[in-house]
Amino acid sequence: MSDNLSRTEGGADILSHTEAGVDILIHTEGGVKTLTLNRVEKKNSLTAAMYTQLSEAVEQAAADTAVRALVFQGHETVFCAGNDIADFLNHPPASQDAPVFRFLRAVSTFPKPMLAAVCGPAVGIGTTLLLHCDLVYAGDNAAFAMPFVNLGLVPEAASSLLVPRLMGYHRAAEALLLGEPFMAEAALEVGLVNRVVPPSEANSLAQRQAAKLAAKPLASLIETKRLMKQGQAAQVAQAMADEAQVFARMLAGPAAREAFSAFMDKRRPDFSKL
Ligand code: COA
């Protein structure tokens, strides 16, 4: 087990459980595996090491017959600020095997019910991950954003395909070209989230719904999810592969360099010559 990975099988209640220095908490109980992003001081931004841990956990959940549902959750104040920008600069994902792309493949092909509880900022992959979840519960403080263009990048996680499909082209253009954030109620309206509740209730609601799913016949859940998704599965895989190629190229480009150094220097980026 890696140093900053926690596995608690049964027993302790993850919802009241925090551990300083453990970036991802993993807890399995009653057939529900819960992955808690626990790097609140950095707004739950994700490093390459965290992507690897998450990928392993998701892949194991897919293979483990004792796991019947998977839940992603963060903190009441923040779900996920996307990729850790400093880590991205130091460890840019150069190929399709990079940890971020492995994680995206794992979640986009996860065969069992996958849920998320989202409070506070959900930026970049914090939002695009939700496109692959079956049920999403949001705190009324949730703020979604896909600012890839503002970072000199392009969408990932098949969001270039799935966001226009979900919300229509023009609203997708607002979200993906302008990179404009949208709040929980707007996410509910477009169907990105199932229900909006007070932030203190989001994680427990997701847990209750996951427990309901875990009590159902697993083979029926798996086949039903597969049937619902099979029409677009190949397109999603193709979009993710295409995006990953462009994303990796743009990440090394001058606009991303400028955006990322501006973030690190806490200044506005200057794209006037790019
Ligand atoms: N990568 C690395 N560090 C990040 C981060 C990220 N994506 N998001 C936040 N942090 C760090 C900040 O640098 C800051 O670190 P410091 O305390 O050492 O200065 C700390 O987390 C707190 O962030 P801060 O910006 O002060 O919090 P906030 O509440 O004002 O804003 C966000 C929260 C999420 C809106 C804001 O942090 C943000 O926009 N982050 C970047 C999101 C992004 O562009 N992600 C990439 C998507 S591909």
Side-chain angles (χ1 to χ4, degrees):
M1 194 190 319
S2 109
D3 285 349
N4 50 359
L5 188 65
S6 156
R7 288 179 210 283
T8 54
E9 305 293 332
D13 176 10
I14 194 77
L15 299 174
S16 58
H17 177 134
T18 55
E19 287 182 37
V22 179
D23 292 338
I24 293 158
L25 302 172
I26 303 180
H27 177 79
T28 306
E29 191 169 349
V32 177
K33 185 166 189 168
T34 302
L35 307 181
T36 305
L37 306 180
N38 185 44
R39 194 180 177 231
V40 177
E41 72 287 358
K42 290 289 179 188
K43 303 288 168 185
N44 285 340
S45 55
L46 299 169
T47 61
M50 289 166 75
Y51 280 124
T52 299
Q53 292 165 9
L54 287 167
S55 303
E56 283 170 6
V58 175
E59 288 161 7
Q60 282 164 11
D64 183 351
T65 50
V67 174
R68 305 163 75 90
L70 180 67
V71 179
F72 286 96
Q73 62 182 23
H75 188 262
E76 262 179 52
T77 61
V78 62
F79 179 60
C80 173
N83 298 301
D84 179 306
I85 287 176
D87 190 68
F88 237 46
L89 279 172
N90 295 332
H91 306 106
S95 76
Q96 304 270 350
D97 298 328
V100 58
F101 299 134
R102 176 182 170 191
F103 173 67
L104 289 175
R105 276 195 302 276
V107 290
S108 66
T109 58
F110 189 70
K112 304 171 192 175
M114 191 164 76
L115 301 84
V118 182
C119 297
V123 187
I125 202 163
T127 290
T128 59
L129 164 65
L130 309 176
L131 298 166
H132 301 282
C133 289
D134 304 295
L135 296 170
V136 180
Y137 298 103
D140 57 20
N141 61 346
F144 305 86
M146 294 175 280
F148 302 110
V149 165
N150 302 347
L151 294 166
L153 296 172
V154 292
E156 32 82 315
S159 54
S160 60
L161 173 78
L162 297 174
V163 173
R165 249 179 216 187
L166 179 73
M167 50 178 83
Y169 184 83
H170 293 91
R171 280 199 278 200
E174 245 171 15
L176 288 173
L177 293 179
L178 279 173
E180 283 196 346
F182 52 99
M183 301 302 291
E185 288 301 331
L188 183 67
E189 193 204 322
V190 297
L192 181 63
V193 311
N194 291 83
R195 210 182 298 175
V196 178
V197 294
S200 60
E201 293 173 21
N203 285 5
S204 52
L205 175 57
Q207 290 292 325
R208 281 201 306 281
Q209 300 296 76
K212 278 189 212 165
L213 287 161
K216 296 187 189 293
L218 182 58
S220 290
L221 291 170
I222 290 175
E223 290 299 337
T224 302
K225 177 167 175 170
R226 187 182 64 74
L227 289 163
M228 285 201 290
K229 295 218 161 203
Q230 70 177 1
Q232 62 177 22
Q235 284 174 298
V236 166
Q238 188 61 53
M240 276 179 36
D242 292 346
E243 289 169 351
Q245 219 172 27
V246 187
F247 192 97
R249 175 164 53 77
M250 303 289 270
L251 194 57
R257 296 263 144 202
E258 167 58 11
F260 286 12
S261 15
F263 180 79
M264 305 305 293
D265 301 345
K266 299 189 189 290
R267 63 173 171 81
R268 281 186 162 282
D270 176 6
F271 298 126
S272 58
K273 298 194 176 59
L274 298 171

